[in-house]
Amino acid sequence: MQLVSSLVCLALWSSSAQAFYPYAPEWLKANLESEAKRAASVDSDGHAFEIQQREGRPVASQEAARLAAKYSNQGALARRKNGYAVTTATPPTTSDAAGINQDGTDYSYFIQVAIGSKGTKLYMLVDTGAGSSWVMGTDCTSDACATHDTFGSGQSDTLSVSDKDFSVAYGSGKVKGKLATDTISFAGMSFKYKFGLASTTSEEFKNFAFDGILGLSMGSGASDNFLNTLASSGAVKSTVFGVSLSRAADGGKSGEIKFGGINSAKYTGDISYSPVVSNSGDWAINLDDMSFDGKKSGAGGKLAYIDTGTTYIFGPATLTDKIHNVIDGAKKQGQYYEVPCDSSKPITVTFSGVDYQIAAKDWIAPKDGDGKCFSNIYAQEVVKDSWLMGATFLKNVYAVFDKDGKRIGFAPAAGSSGASSSASASASSSATPSNPSGSSSVLSSLSSSSSSLGPTSNSATPTSSPSTFSTQTSGSSASATKPALGLTGQETKTTGSSGSSTASGADASKTGDKDSGAASGLHARGAQLASVVGVVGLLLLL
């Protein structure tokens, strides 16, 4: 009976690990209690907004604010402005650009937009893994909405709310409401857009500064596709955008997204492009390999989903084991990898024959409460047999998403150590993925099932070849200090204007579906079903 109970718990945990699940590492928790409210944002003309970061995740402070609002209004939710601390990006000097703000911990990245006739300011997560866009509505009754800025008819004379339902599922919950149309303004551009106006959101959104999600996937979602609307508006000549994510350790103010072109001041060297391989509208390209200290891991030959709405790097254990096998001193602990805190060498990832370096300060998390360090590359198969590359990688490059050319380009971020070409591959690689059926939309976020800590019994041993790093098998206290799996911006299921439920940007045969963005990353659908079916099978066998 005890075994049956354990299996049921495992089923519940594995199913919840498919969606938007943000839970904080120990090093991040230390900042929660002292989180300061963000200062009022400054934008004089409303034309360009930066991508900004928050100063820590709101847990205790936000809960206190929620309770104060609750009891002072006899249980009614009190509407209040977004009080999260935000690191505001430096205003861009180039045209058609918006500053990307962040939360001060490299956990989530978002721009400020103005919506409606009165220009209501809202933060929206920049999420290349999401096909749906939405903001919290003034009629939202969820606790998360009480701590965020919201939008409704009282904020605009031009808002048109339809009777068509809007719903996006993230695995741990969902956002739902009605589709609405109004003017959206940012980066010097302004046009009509149909988006979701949420009346219900899941609890996870209390942990993030953004008030909604801006879906930048090429695939379809529950709302109108943003890139298609941008192109048809005539605001830009080409459907391309360049992204530069800031690093909190460097001040967190350099983030920027430029539409219709690129900003050469944000990168060094040349931009090398790789063709988009996914047929479902996902920003997915082939990964050649990953290496460390000159040692190739053999973790390539797979699809890599490039997601600005995901915090870290995720992949199947068979792949994440390989890269950690070549890192001296790495020790596996379930889906986590303890690594030497004093390592200063970068991890190298190769796309289309060009190497890009992930700095040690990005792939190694700060020390936890026990003085241990863990890798920011996690053994979590968010997308079947594929990699999910989030901010851990993207902070090191300037990324160009070219919808017209169906390609993604990278160049070393300004101030980084640069890139080098491999003689064995072309910079315009057209290689096909080793497992095309394994590709899927990756735009949702992972969410913790019950706490901010990982499971204590997840061993996740590789199935391909013996591991050469040591595996820690004893000591229950180790799991209590493991870093959290950050935000992942992936939708699992959407209901749009047609009223039917669909997988966001992916075929039914695919396992991951990325479109909601949890900051911290925000992705995967079929894997959830597979895990539940597997456990049910075991229960029937017993």
Side-chain angles (χ1 to χ4, degrees):
M1 191 63 187
Q2 184 176 2
L3 177 59
V4 173
S5 299
S6 299
L7 290 172
V8 171
C9 291
L10 177 60
L12 293 174
W13 176 84
S14 59
S15 64
S16 67
Q18 309 301 330
F20 175 77
Y21 75 85
Y23 57 90
E26 291 299 311
W27 59 267
L28 184 57
K29 291 180 182 178
N31 296 329
L32 299 182
E33 296 294 339
S34 60
E35 179 186 352
K37 290 185 178 180
R38 66 173 175 86
S41 59
V42 177
D43 59 276
S44 58
D45 55 12
H47 291 308
F49 307 100
E50 297 176 324
I51 297 177
Q52 309 166 340
Q53 292 176 305
R54 280 187 300 137
E55 310 269 334
R57 284 177 54 212
V59 174
S61 60
Q62 290 301 313
E63 181 65 3
R66 183 189 72 81
L67 291 173
K70 174 180 177 181
Y71 288 107
S72 64
N73 290 276
Q74 288 78 45
L77 288 173
R79 193 63 55 204
R80 59 188 292 270
K81 288 190 174 182
N82 186 322
Y84 297 84
V86 171
T87 301
T88 304
T90 302
T93 57
T94 184
S95 62
D96 300 328
I100 299 181
N101 313 306
Q102 65 147 300
D103 58 10
T105 61
D106 299 345
Y107 206 55
S108 61
Y109 295 83
F110 39 92
I111 65 172
Q112 189 181 59
V113 304
I115 303 181
S117 61
K118 300 178 183 179
T120 300
K121 302 296 194 312
L122 299 170
Y123 288 132
M124 298 185 75
L125 181 76
V126 176
D127 197 348
T128 56
S132 304
S133 297
W134 57 270
V135 297
M136 296 180 182
T138 54
D139 64 342
C140 178
T141 57
S142 302
D143 286 354
C145 294
T147 58
H148 284 84
D149 289 330
T150 57
F151 179 72
S153 57
Q155 285 73 44
S156 177
D157 298 327
T158 54
L159 174 65
S160 175
V161 181
S162 73
D163 58 356
K164 295 178 180 177
D165 292 332
F166 165 88
S167 178
V168 182
Y170 298 106
S172 60
K174 65 181 180 180
V175 172
K176 62 181 180 180
K178 297 293 184 180
L179 287 174
T181 302
D182 210 335
T183 301
I184 183 170
S185 304
F186 61 95
M189 302 178 292
S190 183
F191 48 86
K192 289 283 188 179
Y193 181 49
K194 183 185 290 185
F195 54 91
L197 199 57
S199 57
T200 302
T201 68
S202 53
E203 287 285 301
E204 289 81 9
F205 291 101
K206 290 194 299 184
N207 296 326
F208 308 110
F210 54 83
D211 310 306
I213 291 174
L214 183 65
L216 297 174
S217 170
M218 293 183 290
S220 60
S223 67
D224 281 3
N225 182 274
F226 177 80
L227 295 179
N228 290 343
T229 302
L230 175 64
S232 61
S233 73
V236 293
K237 294 182 179 179
S238 56
T239 314
V240 58
F241 58 96
V243 173
S244 172
L245 296 186
S246 62
R247 183 182 289 112
D250 298 335
K253 294 180 177 293
S254 62
E256 180 190 278
I257 181 168
K258 178 177 173 61
F259 293 93
I262 58 177
N263 184 355
S264 59
K266 291 294 185 180
Y267 65 91
T268 62
D270 298 322
I271 297 176
S272 176
Y273 290 89
S274 298
V276 170
V277 183
S278 169
N279 294 321
S280 56
D282 299 308
W283 292 108
I285 57 178
N286 286 302
L287 173 69
D288 295 351
D289 204 353
M290 300 178 71
S291 58
F292 180 80
D293 196 19
K295 296 173 288 187
K296 294 185 177 181
S297 68
K302 303 293 183 180
L303 283 180
Y305 289 78
I306 312 303
D307 185 11
T308 59
T310 289
T311 307
Y312 305 126
I313 296 176
F314 299 92
T318 52
L319 298 179
T320 55
D321 282 351
K322 288 182 178 180
I323 181 59
H324 290 96
N325 279 345
V326 297
I327 299 175
D328 295 334
K331 302 175 184 178
K332 186 172 185 179
Q333 298 184 23
Q335 63 191 135
Y336 308 92
Y337 301 88
E338 183 182 347
V339 295
C341 293
D342 59 356
S343 180
S344 60
K345 296 178 180 178
I347 285 178
T348 299
V349 294
T350 306
F351 292 101
S352 296
V354 180
D355 296 335
Y356 303 93
Q357 295 185 341
I358 302 175
K361 58 184 174 183
D362 294 323
W363 73 265
I364 301 177
K367 291 181 180 179
D368 64 10
D370 294 330
K372 297 179 180 179
C373 292
F374 289 84
S375 168
N376 279 330
I377 301 176
Y378 298 93
Q380 177 70 44
E381 190 173 18
V382 177
V383 188
K384 182 176 174 58
D385 200 32
S386 301
W387 287 98
L388 176 59
M389 297 283 187
T392 293
F393 165 66
L394 290 171
K395 285 181 288 185
N396 296 269
V397 298
Y398 184 73
V400 179
F401 298 84
D402 184 355
K403 182 178 183 294
D404 295 337
K406 290 201 67 176
R407 59 181 186 169
I408 299 175
F410 299 124
S416 66
S417 56
S420 60
S421 298
S422 169
S424 62
S426 165
S428 58
S429 172
S430 59
T432 56
S434 59
N435 183 13
S437 64
S439 67
S440 72
S441 178
V442 189
L443 183 61
S444 62
S445 55
L446 304 173
S447 72
S448 174
S449 59
S450 59
S451 72
S452 63
L453 302 175
T456 59
S457 61
N458 183 2
S459 58
T461 54
T463 58
S464 56
S465 59
S467 174
T468 59
F469 53 73
S470 60
T471 302
Q472 183 167 324
T473 57
S474 62
S476 59
S477 62
S479 64
T481 57
K482 289 172 181 172
L485 302 186
L487 180 72
T488 63
Q490 179 181 4
E491 274 170 12
T492 60
K493 198 172 185 181
T494 65
T495 300
S497 57
S498 64
S500 61
S501 296
T502 61
S504 173
D507 298 331
S509 62
K510 297 174 181 178
T511 57
D513 185 0
K514 164 176 175 322
D515 189 7
S516 71
S520 357
L522 305 173
H523 313 256
R525 179 183 74 260
Q528 178 179 358
L529 177 61
S531 65
V532 174
V533 171
V535 173
V536 170
L538 287 174
L539 292 175
L540 291 174
L541 181 62
L542 290 173

